[in-house]
Amino acid sequence: MTHRIKWLKKNGYDTNKSYSINQLSEMSKVSKGDLQKIFNRGVGARKTNPSSVRLKRSFKKDPSKPLRMKLSGRQWGMARIYAFLNKIDMIKKGELKKINQDPDIAQKYIK
């Protein structure tokens, strides 16, 4: 199950609907600016480390596949946002000890 589906289900939102950064900000209480930073970092990570980008449809890692078969920059950016939101919730509940991506932003929301 993806971070997107986990986070939306856990918070009672429709998993079949698309959500904008603005909507996710309102839903999660994480600032739009911080979510935009996370999104931009995801887009940048796709460019600088394409081997880490997952394949379309299966969401599996396969460094041998060409970039055109992998998630787009926008998809990778949104995936990073959902992973961040899901992991923040997990840390708050004690299910996760630390966040390995965007810890500089995460520290604002972990209390």
Side-chain angles (χ1 to χ4, degrees), residues 11-57:
N11 291 286
Y13 298 111
D14 186 352
T15 59
N16 295 314
K17 186 178 173 199
S18 295
Y19 297 97
S20 68
I21 291 174
N22 286 342
Q23 290 171 313
L24 290 174
S25 175
E26 290 175 18
M27 293 156 60
S28 67
K29 307 298 185 237
V30 173
S31 79
K32 179 185 170 197
D34 285 339
L35 291 182
Q36 188 66 53
K37 282 181 198 171
I38 294 165
F39 177 84
N40 292 343
R41 289 176 182 181
V43 171
R46 181 183 183 270
K47 291 178 186 174
T48 60
N49 190 10
S51 64
S52 71
V53 180
R54 297 181 182 271
L55 295 170
K56 293 176 185 173
R57 293 181 191 87

Side-chain angles (χ1 to χ4, degrees), residues 47-109:
K47 291 178 186 174
T48 60
N49 190 10
S51 64
S52 71
V53 180
R54 297 181 182 271
L55 295 170
K56 293 176 185 173
R57 293 181 191 87
S58 71
F59 305 112
K60 295 187 188 295
K61 282 188 181 181
D62 189 344
S64 67
K65 300 288 184 188
L67 200 52
R68 72 182 184 297
M69 295 179 72
K70 298 180 178 186
L71 296 174
S72 71
R74 184 181 186 295
Q75 289 170 315
W76 198 241
M78 290 304 290
R80 188 162 173 150
I81 287 174
Y82 282 109
F84 177 85
L85 295 175
N86 196 39
K87 288 178 182 181
I88 290 296
D89 285 353
M90 292 171 71
I91 288 171
K92 286 179 180 177
K93 292 179 182 175
E95 298 169 1
L96 189 65
K97 297 271 185 224
K98 67 175 192 161
I99 189 166
N100 57 356
Q101 67 181 33
D102 307 308
D104 57 323
I105 297 172
Q107 66 185 340
K108 295 181 193 177
Y109 301 99

